[in-house]
Amino acid sequence: MHNKPIRFRFRLSEVRHKEQLTGPHRHSTRMLSWGENCQQGFRLRDGSNVSAGDGVHLLNLGFDITDLSAGHSVLAFIKSNGDAAIIRTTESQDGRRVRGKQKLVKCREKIQAVFCDDHTVTLLSKGGKVLFVDTTRTYIPRPLEAFCNIPVSQVACGSQHSVALTKGGQVYTWGRNSRGQLGLGRSETFIDSPQRLGGLSALPLVLVAAGGEQSFALCVSGAVLGWGRNDCGQLGLGDKADRPKPTPVCYLNTKKSSHISCGKEHTAVLTKNGAVFTFGSGQYGQLGHNSFCDELRPRLVAELFGAKVTKIACGWHHTLVLTESRRVHSFGRGECGQLGHAEESHPSVPLPVQLPQDTNHGPIIENIYAGGNCSFATSVKEAREESNTARVSNVTTDVIDKWVSECNSKSWKKIKGEILRTFSSASSMNQIFLDQSNDKHLQTSSKYCGLNMSHARHSFKKLSRKDHVLAEVQDAVLLLLPSLDEMPEGVEGLRIFLLLNELLHWIQRHGTRGTSTTLTEAVAAAAQRLSAESLQVLGDWWSSQTSSTKVRHVGVWKKALSEILCSHPVPRGPRLRNLLLVLQNMYNANGRVAEHQRIPEQTFCVEVSQTFLEEDLRIWRSMSNMKVLDNRPFVLCNFPFVMDLKSKKMAFDIYATITQCNRTTTPNDWNTQ
């Protein structure tokens, strides 16, 4: 192979979970390093030259490291006290890469996470501020102005692009866009200011990741979406076509994905059960499948069978995994020593890293990091229980009880803010009330919503007992509806509509008539902006609910429809249309399930007056002469499923009378009868 490493000018980032970013203070950690320049640049204390013989060194730093990131020309890490340090890498005249001295970042903010690209270091403060350092010019961080008033929970960096996830669940991207890695669906090759990804705004996201020129987002229930470069299959979509917009990785549906790490041209996904799937370039064996072939779809690393994996990390062309037994395995390109074993230069199966002996009998490996051609691990003296499942933000019974309890003006102001943040955010609404029993929500699919509808029902019932609380909820939802995506990526963005069915029931029972009707019609309008595919998913979810839930939900729309039909004159525009179409979607879904699971057809029927039917039939009959279909008014006769037998007989008799009159009068005459 090559005598010296190929020098690619990009950056790989392993994105850590929130638990890793904001975890407790780590005591007595030690760092191990192997690969390119594994010891250079750090301020080492005496006794650091402990080696296993294969280039793995135990570094005595004199402080604890809570996060680390390595790029092409820069390495940065965070100390346990929140300080950040940077080490620059340059090339000498003979072509060797040499690390400079460790320099402390001058910053008032306490830093919780660090991310590197080619020359820039991005810092995330404990308060959610994003700062960046251009190491070619200065070591003084500057805040990213776009996030001055938007707290951020995570950042990921690829070669020359960045992705940020805000605490409100929104995704922003910026940087190079040569292969669609910003996910904006636009052709600009570079965008210097963060742009929001609208297609992901409704999804309950818990993690973002980025590699060479690919990006990913992970939903709370394990759905994975990818975008950007895909010439080696690094998006896992089954082909080699780039994606300029987020696209669901369907092959990972229901796999319970919990973490994503990206290399230059390959990707690794960890599941809650400790399985690892890899895809993309296999040129150096970095996929771990005992081959050097590319994989266009996620493929299970079968060689890790029996070893539950808890952490994954991708470098440029190599992959690290940490098992539950605290053993580190590696595979892929290893000519710079980044694999930590000397058996092969490019092993295509996971092999154990030869760690210094005292780490097996004393300190325990807690975390792993990979970037470029180097690898790192931190160790502790005592193991801690950790979960590789993303945390789920649920509205608990205690929170609901606090909202509806008696409170003073000061506490009520805080509660109003909490209600607003919860019910005006699509991302938040789509992850509350999840069914966490046996992690059922991790099986979310087009057939299963993953919601605990019983918990939602009891919570909304409690909220409805306090008029002022219910009013705040209504106002927040009204603010939310206009922002909903017409084509949300992934089914998790659709949960909100099922929840709103339940919420509307309690609002209609306890809220004011005018406000509840306005909200019901606004929800119907938002539902009709969805694609036919999304409407079918909603219908399937709804039809799988209990009979009592389905009857209650149909009642919501029947009540709103009845109120419109009692108006004089009846508005035959979008208000009527949207309500009828919601009921039509429910009726169709009810007909798709087995007969014993259906609710009776008469459940959909509404009471109709003779006066309305006479008007409806005249309009319906006159519509046969209309050439422009878009201008046709909506009539109940086109939705016979909402008419009971009595109404249908009445309509037949009225139609017969009109027809008889038409035989003895002109068309203009019967139109004015």
Side-chain angles (χ1 to χ4, degrees):
M1 301 300 288
H2 304 287
N3 293 325
K4 58 183 180 180
I6 299 175
R7 294 170 177 82
F8 297 98
R9 299 188 67 78
F10 55 81
R11 182 314 182 194
L12 283 295
S13 171
E14 184 221 348
V15 185
R16 269 68 61 183
H17 274 292
K18 281 184 185 178
E19 290 89 340
Q20 294 169 311
L21 299 182
T22 60
H25 180 77
R26 292 181 169 92
H27 296 284
S28 303
T29 61
R30 305 171 76 180
M31 190 173 79
L32 298 102
S33 175
W34 60 99
E36 187 177 52
N37 304 312
C38 64
Q39 292 190 86
Q40 296 180 27
F42 295 99
R43 296 173 182 169
L44 304 179
R45 290 187 173 183
D46 294 338
S48 292
N49 194 24
V50 179
S51 175
D54 283 325
V56 179
H57 293 266
L58 181 59
L59 306 185
N60 184 5
L61 302 178
F63 51 81
D64 296 342
I65 286 183
T66 58
D67 195 26
L68 182 146
S69 179
H72 173 76
S73 300
V74 65
L75 181 150
F77 57 87
I78 308 299
K79 299 180 181 181
S80 58
N81 63 1
D83 290 341
I86 295 175
I87 303 173
R88 281 274 297 162
T89 301
T90 58
E91 292 189 7
S92 61
Q93 293 182 351
D94 59 1
R96 291 187 302 107
R97 289 163 55 81
V98 180
R99 284 187 190 154
K101 294 182 179 180
Q102 170 186 319
K103 293 188 177 181
L104 190 67
V105 176
K106 298 179 180 179
C107 179
R108 294 181 179 179
E109 300 282 340
K110 293 301 180 183
I111 307 301
Q112 66 167 333
V114 61
F115 312 89
C116 301
D117 63 16
D118 283 356
H119 301 285
T120 303
V121 175
T122 302
L123 306 171
L124 179 62
S125 77
K126 292 183 178 180
K129 293 184 179 180
V130 179
L131 308 103
F132 68 96
V133 180
D134 184 348
T135 58
T136 62
R137 300 179 180 178
T138 179
Y139 285 87
I140 300 176
R142 291 188 295 162
L144 207 55
E145 294 182 2
F147 297 123
C148 284
N149 297 312
I150 304 176
V152 172
S153 62
Q154 290 182 341
V155 177
C157 293
S159 171
Q160 295 180 41
H161 77 286
S162 300
V163 185
L165 176 63
T166 71
K167 291 186 177 180
Q170 302 302 298
V171 176
Y172 289 78
T173 61
W174 66 99
R176 285 192 61 82
N177 193 40
S178 54
R179 304 298 290 265
Q181 58 264 49
L182 298 188
L184 300 169
R186 287 148 47 181
S187 58
E188 295 100 318
T189 57
F190 187 86
I191 297 176
D192 58 2
S193 62
Q195 305 290 309
R196 187 174 70 89
L197 282 187
L200 299 179
S201 62
L203 295 180
L205 301 176
V206 292
L207 182 144
V208 289
E213 292 170 300
Q214 75 265 33
S215 307
F216 288 90
L218 174 66
C219 294
V220 68
S221 295
V224 176
L225 300 98
W227 61 96
R229 186 172 184 171
N230 192 39
D231 56 340
C232 297
Q234 55 264 53
L235 296 183
L237 301 173
D239 56 43
K240 294 187 176 183
D242 293 355
R243 296 298 198 281
K245 298 180 69 176
T247 305
V249 185
C250 297
Y251 300 97
L252 290 171
N253 284 353
T254 71
K255 299 297 185 184
K256 302 183 180 180
S257 302
S258 62
H259 190 61
I260 306 170
S261 185
C262 300
K264 177 182 185 280
E265 297 168 329
H266 79 288
T267 305
V269 173
L270 175 64
T271 73
K272 188 203 173 188
N273 297 328
V276 177
F277 290 83
T278 58
F279 43 98
S281 173
Q283 180 182 3
Y284 300 99
Q286 62 265 50
L287 301 184
H289 301 309
N290 197 23
S291 79
F292 297 93
C293 299
D294 295 352
E295 295 289 342
L296 306 186
R297 298 181 178 89
R299 179 180 171 186
L300 179 68
V301 182
E303 287 74 7
L304 289 169
F305 183 77
K308 184 177 181 180
V309 175
T310 60
K311 301 287 174 64
I312 55 176
C314 293
W316 286 356
H317 304 291
H318 74 288
T319 306
L320 304 180
V321 300
L322 176 64
T323 67
E324 193 174 41
S325 61
R326 308 288 175 159
R327 300 285 182 172
V328 182
H329 292 71
S330 62
F331 43 97
R333 190 173 187 176
E335 60 192 33
C336 294
Q338 62 264 52
L339 299 184
H341 44 75
E343 287 85 351
E344 299 181 47
S345 58
H346 306 300
S348 58
V349 294
L351 295 176
V353 175
Q354 300 301 314
L355 300 177
Q357 276 300 305
D358 71 330
T359 61
N360 292 330
H361 299 286
I364 301 167
I365 300 301
E366 182 184 48
N367 216 335
I368 52 175
Y369 306 92
N373 292 324
C374 50
S375 304
F376 301 89
T378 55
S379 64
V380 292
K381 288 185 176 180
E382 296 180 2
R384 285 192 292 267
E385 188 71 24
E386 286 191 78
S387 170
N388 65 355
T389 302
R391 290 179 180 176
V392 176
S393 174
N394 252 1
V395 173
T396 64
T397 303
D398 290 341
V399 172
I400 298 293
D401 288 341
K402 183 184 71 172
W403 288 352
V404 299
S405 63
E406 297 295 333
C407 56
N408 55 40
S409 58
K410 185 176 180 180
S411 58
W412 172 238
K413 182 177 180 181
K414 182 180 179 181
I415 289 172
K416 284 174 63 176
E418 292 175 353
I419 294 174
L420 179 63
R421 285 191 296 273
T422 300
F423 290 97
S424 67
S425 165
S427 174
S428 173
M429 280 285 287
N430 281 321
Q431 71 169 305
I432 61 180
F433 308 120
L434 292 179
D435 189 352
Q436 298 187 64
S437 59
N438 298 318
D439 289 323
K440 288 182 180 177
H441 72 94
L442 292 173
Q443 295 298 319
T444 298
S445 68
S446 59
K447 301 298 181 183
Y448 177 62
C449 65
L451 287 170
N452 184 337
M453 291 301 294
S454 176
H455 179 35
R457 181 171 67 255
H458 290 303
S459 297
F460 294 151
K461 183 178 180 180
K462 277 187 178 182
L463 291 174
S464 66
R465 292 172 181 166
K466 296 290 184 177
D467 292 343
H468 61 292
V469 173
L470 194 61
E472 292 298 327
V473 172
Q474 290 178 244
D475 290 344
V477 174
L478 282 170
L479 288 174
L480 160 69
L481 293 173
S483 67
L484 292 178
D485 297 319
E486 296 181 15
M487 298 182 65
E489 300 290 353
V491 296
E492 291 191 60
L494 299 172
R495 288 194 184 108
I496 186 172
F497 288 96
L498 204 57
L499 289 169
L500 287 175
N501 260 317
E502 191 65 45
L503 177 62
L504 287 171
H505 167 75
W506 296 103
I507 288 177
Q508 285 182 347
R509 287 190 60 173
H510 298 278
T512 58
R513 178 177 175 179
T515 305
S516 65
T517 302
T518 299
L519 183 57
T520 305
E521 293 177 4
V523 173
Q528 295 317 307
R529 293 196 295 266
L530 296 172
S531 66
E533 182 181 4
S534 295
L535 287 173
Q536 173 141 353
V537 171
L538 280 175
D540 291 343
W541 282 355
W542 172 79
S543 63
S544 68
Q545 302 300 309
T546 64
S547 294
S548 60
T549 296
K550 288 186 284 189
V551 170
R552 189 165 59 251
H553 289 180
V554 170
V556 167
W557 305 103
K558 284 175 55 178
K559 184 173 183 179
L561 180 61
S562 296
E563 290 181 1
I564 282 190
L565 295 180
C566 291
S567 304
H568 298 286
V570 174
R572 295 182 178 273
R575 293 172 60 198
L576 177 63
R577 167 187 178 273
N578 293 335
L579 293 173
L580 286 170
L581 288 176
V582 169
L583 283 168
Q584 177 82 69
N585 193 48
M586 288 179 162
Y587 180 80
N588 293 344
N590 189 53
R592 291 197 296 267
V593 300
E595 188 171 354
H596 70 277
Q597 295 177 317
R598 298 175 191 168
I599 57 176
E601 290 194 5
Q602 57 264 34
T603 306
F604 295 88
C605 298
V606 295
E607 187 176 344
V608 184
S609 68
Q610 181 174 343
T611 302
F612 173 80
L613 275 178
E614 289 174 353
E615 178 190 6
D616 202 63
L617 285 164
R618 288 194 179 95
I619 295 174
W620 179 68
R621 182 163 177 149
S622 67
M623 283 168 55
S624 61
N625 298 321
M626 291 185 179
K627 296 182 180 180
V628 182
L629 300 180
D630 291 342
N631 292 331
R632 288 186 173 188
F634 271 77
V635 293
L636 209 63
C637 292
N638 288 331
F639 300 86
F641 68 91
V642 299
M643 301 170 64
D644 59 15
L645 186 61
K646 178 182 176 181
S647 298
K648 289 177 181 177
K649 183 181 182 303
M650 188 189 305
F652 178 82
D653 293 341
I654 295 171
Y655 182 76
T657 301
I658 292 176
T659 303
Q660 184 64 35
C661 291
N662 190 47
R663 290 174 182 171
T664 58
T665 60
T666 64
N668 288 332
D669 291 332
W670 65 255
N671 262 334
T672 58
Q673 291 292 321

